[in-house]
Amino acid sequence: MTFDAIIVGGSFEGLSAALYLARARRSVLVLDTGTPRNRFAAASHGFFAQDGSNPGVMLEAMRGQVAAYPTVQFRELAAVEAARHEDGFRVTLANGEAVAGARLLLAFGISDILPELPGLAERWGQTVIHCPYCHGYEFSGKRLGVLNTSPKSAHQAGLIPEWGPTTFFLNGGTIEPDVAAQLDERGVTIEAEPVDSLVGEGAALSAIRLRNGIEQPIDALFIGPRSRFNSDIAQGLGCEIEDGPLGSVITVDEMQATSIAGVYAAGDITRMGHTVTFACADGVAAALAIHRSLVFGG
């Protein structure tokens, strides 16, 4: 069997695309490993009708609704390779099986590369967070910090005071005088001493322990970690990829088409701004483009 579309990744963007393609009565295969990027967070925010919901519960409900359409199939397997085959694509799965599709949607997502600091990884998604629009409101007025991890960290430090008093931990790095002056105008405290570890009970964060032994009280730490693709399929297909400040991004047009005909991409792998709303919108745009290409060619 040749599916009309194979979707590599079954999180918000992949399921949104599958729903629209299913409603167009097209056959769809969704490949997913069940490890979405936001699995570390207890709640997702900023998505209408689901604000504060557990992302795992949201995905379970979405998958159930998509599975109700008879033209959709799911396989809990990773796609390890994809190549052009006749008029479409052949995708090799982790078990060695091969499946065929006329169109291919890459929605495999990214993984965050966290700084190697004791106490950080186990608090990721709880009190060590990335997006203030997703999680900042819950820490309104609390003691906030930003860890210097990239050239974009100073920009992040200038934004976070919108939610509470902020300390920018340079962690042994340097800062230009004009940037320091701008942060001072925003009320940001700059701490130059390197960070030794994070302190707290369970997922709670109570302090940052500096190299000199001093503990700086804090309730939440924002970081902007680099990321990596969860799959190298895009590179294998020859899709155009750009280097972003925090990781690679697949180049797509306004309808999520990549530089390779018949291959589309959606979600975090295609943009620097990462929210559930963006992911779902990308999936819908890709599905519409895929359906129209199947109808009219191209």
Side-chain angles (χ1 to χ4, degrees), residues 1-78:
M1 173 183 179
T2 297
F3 292 91
D4 289 318
I6 296 175
I7 301 176
V8 182
S11 190
F12 293 97
E13 59 270 39
L15 292 175
S16 295
L19 177 62
Y20 271 69
L21 287 167
R23 291 189 59 79
R25 304 197 303 171
R26 292 292 181 163
S27 60
V28 181
L29 175 63
V30 180
L31 304 171
D32 188 51
T33 59
T35 54
R37 183 189 183 195
N38 60 2
R39 65 189 181 278
F40 302 100
S44 172
H45 296 281
F47 190 64
F48 272 119
Q50 295 290 342
D51 189 43
S53 298
N54 181 284
V57 174
M58 293 168 65
L59 286 171
E60 183 179 0
M62 291 174 68
R63 182 172 175 135
Q65 291 175 5
V66 173
Y69 288 85
T71 59
V72 180
Q73 294 184 31
F74 288 89
R75 300 291 301 276
E76 294 182 0
L77 284 168

Side-chain angles (χ1 to χ4, degrees), residues 56-116:
V57 174
M58 293 168 65
L59 286 171
E60 183 179 0
M62 291 174 68
R63 182 172 175 135
Q65 291 175 5
V66 173
Y69 288 85
T71 59
V72 180
Q73 294 184 31
F74 288 89
R75 300 291 301 276
E76 294 182 0
L77 284 168
V80 297
E81 185 179 10
R84 180 76 66 181
H85 178 71
E86 297 179 350
D87 293 332
F89 301 90
R90 182 179 294 276
V91 178
T92 303
L93 309 184
N95 64 355
E97 180 184 352
V99 291
R103 300 291 185 270
L104 185 61
L105 173 58
L106 306 180
F108 46 71
I110 62 175
S111 291
D112 297 291
I113 304 171
L114 301 179
E116 293 184 2

Side-chain angles (χ1 to χ4, degrees), residues 146-202:
V146 175
L147 183 66
N148 185 26
T149 59
S150 79
K152 288 291 186 180
S153 294
H155 172 78
Q156 187 180 38
L159 180 65
I160 298 306
E162 293 291 291
W163 287 269
T166 303
T167 299
F168 184 31
F169 294 93
L170 286 180
N171 196 24
T174 59
I175 188 170
E176 296 295 327
D178 61 327
V179 177
Q182 292 170 8
L183 293 180
D184 182 66
E185 291 180 1
R186 292 284 290 148
V188 176
T189 300
I190 297 176
E191 174 56 67
E193 183 73 15
V195 174
D196 180 72
S197 60
L198 280 62
V199 180
E201 294 293 330

